[in-house]
Amino acid sequence: MYDQLTDDELFAEVARRRSAGEAFGGPLGALVERWGRPARYVIGKIQASYRRGSPADADEFFQDAVGKFIDRGLEQFRGISEHMPGKAASPKTFFLRIVKHVAIDFYRRQREDLAPAPSDPDDVMEEPPSQVSRAVETARRTEERSEAQELYWAAFARLQKEHPKEAGAWDLYHHQDVEDHEECARLLQITVVNSYKRVSRAQAYLKLYLLELKQAAAEEEE
């Protein structure tokens, strides 16, 4: 019944029925079913970044995201991109952002819950050298990742200034979880071929900018 409708048409039907006080479970169910696979892909990326979780978590996160989408998302979605003012945003991208934050919030809370409680000062014992060494190495890697992120965002800011079209495509494809070039092309109102080209050029520019930033940082340290 809903197979011939696009995501936007299905979402419009959901919104219409909801405003009219009619049952909208049918079109909404068809809509979120389409997004199941990309949602699990997003969840998998979050699990990999936190190095925890299981496939069973995906179903729970997905259902939680659907609930949030119904409770608040149907009212909050305005069809305008938060990252690219003036550009249209799809309900799918909006939903995937909810999925991402559901997973991030869960693993962030879990990590905080697993953190050791502060020790009583009177009970503190000197850590063995091996643990101290690992702690130092962990701190070093954390600092390196932080510096790498700063360089990346500096490079991306330059890309936005010098090549805004490429930056827009890169932002959609890599920052907003738009997982395919067809959707990216639709949002940018360009061809799929041009989407591939813009993302490819953006990657090349970013590599160049990062190299220049690293060289500049190394020269400052000398």
Side-chain angles (χ1 to χ4, degrees):
M1 179 179 179
Y2 303 113
D3 292 346
Q4 303 303 317
L5 299 179
T6 65
D7 285 4
D8 289 336
E9 290 170 340
L10 263 178
F11 184 82
E13 178 64 12
V14 171
R16 183 193 69 76
R17 293 190 184 189
R18 185 171 180 271
S19 298
E22 301 175 5
F24 55 86
L28 179 64
L31 193 60
V32 297
E33 184 177 358
R34 294 181 183 181
W35 301 337
R37 185 175 179 179
R40 285 166 176 77
Y41 173 76
V42 170
I43 293 169
K45 289 173 62 178
I46 301 302
Q47 289 177 329
S49 67
Y50 279 87
R51 297 182 180 179
R52 62 182 65 230
S54 67
D57 291 339
D59 290 333
E60 183 177 346
F61 295 157
F62 182 74
Q63 294 302 324
D64 191 8
V66 171
K68 292 180 182 296
F69 186 60
I70 294 173
D71 292 340
R72 298 190 295 273
L74 295 179
E75 293 183 353
Q76 293 177 354
F77 179 70
R78 296 292 181 268
I80 302 297
S81 172
E82 297 178 4
H83 299 279
M84 300 180 64
K87 289 291 184 180
S90 71
K92 176 183 176 182
T93 301
F94 184 82
F95 176 75
L96 293 180
R97 191 173 297 118
I98 294 176
V99 171
K100 180 174 70 172
H101 287 297
V102 165
I104 289 175
D105 290 345
F106 177 84
Y107 290 123
R108 184 176 291 161
R109 289 195 304 269
Q110 190 179 68
R111 185 172 61 184
E112 291 173 353
D113 291 341
L114 292 174
S119 302
D120 188 309
D122 295 332
D123 296 332
V124 173
M125 298 178 63
E126 184 177 351
E127 295 183 349
S130 60
Q131 291 187 11
V132 174
S133 177
R134 284 197 296 270
V136 171
E137 179 64 14
T138 299
R140 183 185 66 80
R141 291 180 179 178
T142 300
E143 183 178 0
E144 288 178 349
R145 284 196 297 269
S146 178
E147 291 176 354
Q149 289 179 351
E150 289 180 5
L151 287 177
Y152 170 80
W153 288 113
F156 182 70
R158 179 178 172 185
L159 180 69
Q160 288 179 305
K161 180 179 179 179
E162 298 183 3
H163 304 282
K165 292 182 178 180
E166 283 72 15
W170 184 267
D171 180 56
L172 279 175
Y173 198 73
H174 288 278
H175 298 163
Q176 298 192 45
D177 299 316
V178 177
E179 78 288 348
D180 58 53
H181 282 283
E182 290 186 2
E183 179 69 3
C184 188
R186 187 187 72 80
L187 292 171
L188 294 173
Q189 298 180 344
I190 59 177
T191 66
V192 175
V193 172
N194 279 337
S195 175
Y196 274 103
K197 288 181 178 179
R198 288 187 184 182
V199 171
S200 178
R201 287 197 295 264
Q203 184 177 32
Y205 286 132
L206 284 172
K207 286 183 178 179
L208 175 62
Y209 299 160
L210 284 169
L211 179 61
E212 292 178 353
L213 287 169
K214 288 178 182 178
Q215 290 177 340
E219 291 175 357
E220 290 180 359
E221 292 178 355
E222 292 179 356

